Amino acid sequence: MPLSVNGSSFRNTLVQNEKGENTFIEGVGIGEYDAINNTSLFDPQTQKFQRIASPPALQYGESNDLFCAGHLHLANGNVLFISGTGRYYPGGRFTGSKQVNIYDWQTGKWSTVGQMKEGRWYPTLVSLADGKIVIFSGLKINSPNQINPSIEIYDPKTEKFQYIDLTGIENSPFNTYIEDGDGYDTIDLYPRVFPTADGRLLITGDEAGIANVLVQSKSKKSYLMSIDEDATGKFSVSFEVGPERYETSKAYGTAVQVPNSEDVLLIAGMIGTNDINFGRGGKIDNYPGARIASSLQRWVSPEHSGEKNGKWETVEKFLETPRANVEAVILPNQEILVLNGGKYPEYKPIYEPVLMTPNSEAEGGYSIKTMNPAKLPRLYHNGAILLPDARVLSIGGNANRVAREKDGTLHVDIGRDAKNNFMIAELTDKSGQAKKFTIEEYYQSPQSYFAKNDPEHFVPAEIWQAEIFSPPYLFKPGARPEIIEVPNALKYGEFGKISVENATENGSLVLVKLGAETHSFDFGQRLVDLPIKNIALGEKSEIDFQAPTNSNLYPPGYYMMFYLNDIGKPSHAQMVKLEVS
């Protein structure tokens, strides 16, 4: 069952002490709806969310808030959560906590393994071939809005972290000067980082962005990082400057590793600013040259390009409409579903998903087709993930902030003015008449109200309803194949056997890594083909296959195994553990 975590809306409160000095009370929500338990499990069969306990609000005497953490499945199936909000300062400034939380999927309990050396608000986590986790970026703990120029490597076996400062390492982003830029390069927040077949990590340059926190990088560079571990277990890293991209770094786009490949796709996003309010209320002229992209950029791997560090190709107008805060979900048939987001990061939602189908004759390697629209707007903080029944769960979205008075009056934040002050609007009905909404009405009818003087539907602070998209392959004719028997674990390169009902002569078998999605980026999803070596057709067909061989691209852990028949209709998934011998 997918785990859903949304933090606690800042578990610290800014107050004044007896001397009139500003101070913080740790572990305390700032309003009636702020300290609620926002952790839950989703059951695809019942289509119900079950609330479960959140981690303790205080840990090691400091706030422990999962809001804007990074997370990833460990090889044993538990989920590692890194950092979260240390403190929120009015005006959109944040610090990152040093907290580490682990969710045990078998017991439903939370635990910790200590703290990191530094805070990491908006971090990125990447699995290595042996199950260790590399942690990139994030905001520091003591200085608001300061990017952490380091990495930490977590070893689940020893439950220890190693810290590596990147500022003095040759060719690292923090030690590479950008001509005609803003000085030295950087690794921005929630950086889009992917493994390569030879074990290096590709730092693409794209990132998540955050309003009024940092100036967006103007770099077109990408980097490849190598990691070495000596006999004592000490790590060292080195960098090579990768190929230049055709666009500068983008915020509020998405990225995905091509199924059954090490190629990487960067899809849509925003160029020239990371102000999340860009475009709302006509705020375009404030950022000359800034725009929402519709492009597809593809890093073509050394294997496919013949270049040692690969090369970048781009399709400038890949999507019909420029789009921000999109999600990309890998489907079992190797198609990619692009959904959610809007024409701007927090304004003018786009409801129609786009299906990317592999096509070697098309630019970028994919042809696209528009799907039936969703019913709810999903902008910033939306999420989407593949379910074991081969459908796609779409949740969340909170494009604006809301405050509630004791009398029930709602005030909504619609951005900031030229002096960086919050602009507050009253809600109206479609005719423009002011109207009060209860908190229940506000969340249950997200398209029934408007902000004053704005013809667009007002997108609420949070979308509480989930939606499920059924891809076209579920409507293909004939019976759906089903995996009846499957091994509990697979070893790299070894052979296995499964039993399938309704199998066909030319079917296929794939593993899809369990996802870990936040902020328009799934840290975990991967897809790999399992070569079928033999098939004995019958009422219960016996299929022999080979497990993956490359643990760099497909790290140890739990995967969903799907069988697809000759017309691409998938089975329900069976969970399989891929492990090192």
Side-chain angles (χ1 to χ4, degrees), residues 171-197:
N171 291 330
S172 90
F174 298 99
N175 201 18
T176 299
Y177 191 80
I178 305 298
E179 298 292 340
D180 301 323
D182 298 314
Y184 287 92
D185 206 352
T186 185
I187 297 175
D188 220 322
L189 301 176
Y190 280 137
R192 301 351 188 171
V193 181
F194 293 92
T196 63

Side-chain angles (χ1 to χ4, degrees), residues 195-213:
T196 63
D198 60 11
R200 295 180 295 172
L201 298 180
L202 172 68
I203 304 169
T204 67
D206 269 12
E207 41 99 359
I210 179 64
N212 296 320
V213 172

Side-chain angles (χ1 to χ4, degrees), residues 41-268:
L41 290 171
F42 176 71
D43 187 335
Q45 293 184 333
T46 64
Q47 298 190 177
K48 300 292 185 182
F49 285 89
Q50 172 194 349
R51 287 203 180 276
I52 61 174
S54 292
L58 278 175
Q59 198 161 261
Y60 301 104
E62 297 174 0
S63 179
N64 184 30
D65 186 353
L66 293 182
F67 185 71
C68 293
H71 60 292
L72 195 63
H73 287 271
L74 298 173
N76 63 2
N78 294 340
V79 186
L80 173 69
F81 286 83
I82 291 295
S83 191
T85 300
R87 286 177 176 170
Y88 167 71
Y89 296 80
R93 297 185 302 152
F94 290 85
T95 65
S97 79
K98 298 187 293 183
Q99 304 286 9
V100 179
N101 294 279
I102 296 178
Y103 178 76
D104 188 315
W105 68 278
Q106 293 176 302
T107 66
K109 304 295 184 182
W110 292 91
S111 64
T112 184
V113 291
Q115 292 185 307
M116 297 175 293
K117 183 175 181 178
E118 251 294 359
R120 294 190 178 276
W121 190 83
Y122 270 48
T124 287
L125 284 61
V126 184
S127 294
L128 298 179
D130 57 2
K132 297 183 179 73
I133 306 294
V134 185
I135 305 159
F136 288 87
S137 189
L139 295 183
K140 293 182 176 182
I141 188 168
N142 292 321
S143 303
N145 300 349
Q146 293 297 309
I147 286 182
N148 192 333
S150 68
I151 62 170
E152 293 190 53
I153 301 177
Y154 174 65
D155 185 345
K157 293 181 179 179
T158 64
E159 297 185 340
K160 301 294 183 183
F161 291 83
Q162 288 190 39
Y163 178 92
I164 302 175
D165 186 345
L166 303 182
T167 56
I169 299 178
E170 184 179 5
N171 291 330
S172 90
F174 298 99
N175 201 18
T176 299
Y177 191 80
I178 305 298
E179 298 292 340
D180 301 323
D182 298 314
Y184 287 92
D185 206 352
T186 185
I187 297 175
D188 220 322
L189 301 176
Y190 280 137
R192 301 351 188 171
V193 181
F194 293 92
T196 63
D198 60 11
R200 295 180 295 172
L201 298 180
L202 172 68
I203 304 169
T204 67
D206 269 12
E207 41 99 359
I210 179 64
N212 296 320
V213 172
L214 300 162
V215 176
Q216 190 181 25
S217 173
K218 297 179 181 178
S219 173
K220 294 182 179 179
K221 294 188 179 298
S222 58
Y223 299 85
L224 287 132
M225 186 180 84
S226 299
I227 303 174
D228 293 304
E229 184 178 5
D230 65 19
T232 68
K234 183 178 180 180
F235 293 100
S236 61
V237 299
S238 58
F239 287 85
E240 298 174 80
V241 178
E244 290 235 333
R245 298 158 27 133
Y246 294 90
E247 293 176 331
T248 62
S249 64
K250 293 182 295 185
Y252 308 116
T254 193
V256 67
Q257 195 140 33
V258 173
N260 211 40
S261 171
E262 61 177 326
D263 286 17
V264 169
L265 304 177
L266 304 178
I267 304 169

